[in-house]
Amino acid sequence: MSTIQLRTPIPGPKSRALSDRRAKAVPRGLSHGTPIYVAKAKDAWLEDVDGNRYLDFAGGIGCLNVGHRRDEVLDAVKDQLDHFLHTCVQVTPYESYVRLAERMNEITPGNFAKKTIFINSGAEAVENAVKIARAYTKRPGIIAFEDAFHGRTMMTLALTSKTHPYKAGFAPFPSEVYRVPFAYCYRCSYSLKYPACDLYCARHLEDTFKRVVANEEVAAVIAEPVLGEGGFVAPPPDYFKVLVELCHKHGILFIADEVQSGFGRTGAMFASERYGIAPDILVTAKSISGGLPLAAVTGKAEIMDAPGVGGLGGTFAGNPLSCAAALAVLDLFERENLLARANELGDHFQRRAREWQSRWPIIGDIRGLGGMQAIELVQSQEAKTPAADETKKITQYCYEHGLITITAGSYGNVIRVLVPLVITSEQMDEALDVLEAGIANVCGQKKEVPQLV
Ligand SMILES: Cc1ncc(COP(=O)(O)O)c(C=O)c1O
């Protein structure tokens, strides 16, 4: 039996009524990928207030790698509810925070002593990583990449690349942020081809130190091992080794922002492992706690201890419910082979997407690592003109037919897969059938527009 069950036209009457109330009560700046209001969710599906059931390729933007409302996570949270809700770890600490830090120090890449601090969100974690890197190196500069996304607070907006809708209108941003091209091979900033390029984009950092910012002024280079919001761009396998070596040569720290790529998404616990690197500082959030707000900064012990006593923290930082949930998530990763499943799902997606690409030239690029997969849509394979309108039409087709998807990319022309890794094979095919129909539909319409055929 299919999981997708649509009982009303989408969005249904109750969702539409809520959208009207929302328009009056909530600022427009908070956008919604779909106009569907959720009533409940489990594993890889969610149900709206009108009783329509969808498959979920968004997973709360990558927060639900272990699935919606896993029993183990719920049990851990319920148990914590019976004890205490909040004390503030800076006033009266609790064991679960320490235990979670110990486990994070064990499972993150790098055979060295580590320490971990917990905070509330990915952006807050990036902010803390920058504070720690500056405190340790006593240098101000941070180098970030084109197409990077690191959050919506002022410092993380400075690090984030995409102008609209994230940055435009919110300047001035904090200074001492420098931006360089990323290893986005499909749209190489230097018009080179891997491997003949010999990773020019990584090696070019030496040039940046001469022409943009002096290396002795740079505290850290921050990168997402696989771009999230920037379009699921996975650099070539040897890229990060070269980059990290270059950083270390100049006493610069390497910060991996694994907020989206972490916790099994790429088929390893952390994408850094797939690149054979051990970041000096690793930033995580999203899927760390199975749907509750939590983020972590894990790093070499001596780096993490650079800020003075009281220099780090926050009222709700590492709250007990989120810590309990995160411990349950780590148990789930130990018990279930979610990493292998991420790879299987990724391989399956790639197979189907390649078949679509052979039929429809709108699919310019298929890429990703493990279960972090995407297609980039273009109006012409040669010119690679981004097909943003078509991408929107496909995602709209998808949610109207029972599949929640989200877009990505600086040009808004990427459809990304962040499906909970517990989706069954039947559900995955059901979802991909909808996506395929959405692409076919848009391609059918395009036949009427000669220049796009
Ligand atoms: C790579 C990356 N870093 C940071 C963030 C910011 O996380 P948050 O929205 O929890 O502040 C995100 C959010 O999408 C992200 O994908």
Side-chain angles (χ1 to χ4, degrees):
M1 199 175 94
S2 69
T3 300
I4 294 172
Q5 287 172 28
L6 304 180
R7 301 178 199 287
T8 69
I10 308 299
K14 289 184 184 161
S15 277
R16 281 205 305 276
L18 282 166
S19 284
D20 290 344
R21 279 174 53 198
R22 175 256 182 264
K24 293 190 191 90
V26 183
R28 63 186 184 144
L30 181 85
S31 67
H32 309 302
T34 73
I36 293 156
Y37 282 74
V38 180
K40 62 180 169 197
K42 181 76 183 139
D43 297 333
W45 59 259
L46 44 85
E47 204 171 282
D48 73 12
V49 286
D50 292 288
N52 300 302
R53 189 167 283 196
Y54 308 81
L55 280 165
D56 182 12
F57 261 23
I61 318 191
C63 295
L64 294 156
N65 291 355
V66 299
H68 284 277
R69 293 179 60 248
R70 288 299 302 272
D71 290 344
E72 295 80 351
V73 173
L74 297 186
D75 288 346
V77 170
K78 282 177 195 156
D79 184 58
Q80 184 60 44
L81 284 173
D82 286 339
H83 291 83
F84 58 94
L85 277 182
H86 176 70
T87 62
C88 185
V89 76
Q90 287 145 248
V91 182
T92 47
Y94 31 91
E95 192 264 349
S96 57
Y97 187 112
V98 178
R99 185 151 38 107
L100 186 58
E102 288 166 350
R103 288 187 73 177
M104 284 297 293
N105 298 339
E106 268 165 36
I107 64 167
T108 46
N111 197 12
F112 39 74
K114 293 182 214 129
K115 292 195 175 183
T116 296
I117 180 167
F118 298 105
I119 46 273
N120 300 295
S121 69
E124 202 184 345
V126 172
E127 293 269 356
N128 276 280
V130 169
K131 281 168 65 177
I132 293 164
R134 284 180 171 164
Y136 179 74
T137 59
K138 303 192 171 40
R139 301 171 177 187
I142 307 290
I143 294 180
F145 289 89
E146 285 174 6
D147 303 304
F149 183 86
H150 295 292
R152 294 171 179 273
T153 58
M154 281 313 216
M155 181 66 201
T156 58
L157 274 186
L159 298 169
T160 287
S161 171
K162 193 171 178 175
T163 53
H164 291 95
Y166 303 128
K167 302 179 73 151
F170 298 129
F173 303 113
S175 61
E176 292 308 318
V177 172
Y178 303 91
R179 193 171 309 286
V180 295
F182 194 61
Y184 187 173
C185 296
Y186 183 65
R187 295 184 186 277
C188 177
S189 296
Y190 303 104
S191 300
L192 298 172
K193 281 255 173 300
Y194 178 82
C197 64
D198 192 28
L199 297 169
Y200 181 83
C201 57
R203 300 187 201 283
H204 197 63
L205 214 51
E206 291 285 17
D207 194 67
T208 305
F209 297 145
K210 291 196 176 70
R211 296 162 72 194
V212 181
V213 56
N215 48 282
E216 68 271 21
E217 299 287 334
V218 179
V221 168
I222 181 165
E224 297 155 84
V226 180
L227 293 185
E229 177 61 27
F232 280 28
V233 176
D238 43 350
Y239 171 77
F240 281 108
K241 274 198 185 133
V242 171
L243 193 74
V244 172
E245 235 168 68
L246 243 156
C247 288
H248 288 172
K249 177 178 154 198
H250 294 289
I252 295 167
L253 303 182
F254 178 72
I255 303 173
D257 178 346
E258 293 236 26
V259 167
Q260 198 158 154
S261 61
F263 290 93
R265 176 51 46 190
T266 66
M269 200 59 176
F270 301 100
S272 296
E273 296 167 64
R274 298 217 48 174
Y275 285 100
I277 55 162
D280 301 297
I281 299 177
L282 184 92
V283 178
T284 50
K286 290 194 185 277
S287 272
I288 187 174
S289 47
L292 269 75
L294 186 71
V297 182
T298 303
K300 284 188 179 143
E302 59 163 339
I303 296 173
M304 295 298 290
D305 272 336
V309 175
L312 303 175
T315 305
F316 279 111
N319 85 80
L321 290 178
S322 298
C323 285
L327 286 164
V329 165
L330 293 186
D331 289 346
L332 278 171
F333 271 101
E334 274 180 11
R335 237 188 352 261
E336 298 178 359
N337 208 348
L338 292 170
L339 305 184
R341 185 63 184 148
N343 285 319
E344 276 166 22
L345 291 170
D347 289 347
H348 187 61
F349 177 83
Q350 288 247 349
R351 271 196 301 278
R352 291 226 22 198
R354 295 216 180 284
E355 204 264 310
W356 301 337
Q357 193 178 36
S358 69
R359 264 190 279 163
W360 298 305
I362 193 172
I363 298 177
D365 198 23
I366 301 161
R367 57 174 177 252
L369 264 189
M372 192 166 184
Q373 295 288 335
I375 47 176
E376 175 159 354
L377 303 165
V378 291
Q379 292 180 0
S380 131
Q381 292 268 351
E382 294 70 36
K384 299 183 181 174
T385 324
D389 288 345
E390 291 82 353
T391 305
K392 258 195 223 117
K393 280 187 193 150
I394 294 170
T395 55
Q396 171 150 352
Y397 178 97
C398 284
Y399 78 71
E400 285 175 354
H401 293 80
L403 173 66
I404 308 292
T405 59
I406 46 173
T407 60
S410 293
Y411 308 104
N413 64 327
V414 176
I415 297 177
R416 52 179 150 170
V417 179
L418 283 169
V419 64
L421 303 174
V422 291
I423 191 168
T424 66
S425 298
E426 295 70 34
Q427 288 172 331
M428 185 70 181
D429 270 326
E430 198 184 342
L432 292 176
D433 288 346
V434 175
L435 180 54
E436 179 177 316
I439 299 165
N441 200 42
V442 158
C443 290
Q445 284 168 3
K446 277 170 63 125
K447 282 196 186 110
E448 295 162 26
V449 188
Q451 72 269 25
L452 300 183
V453 174

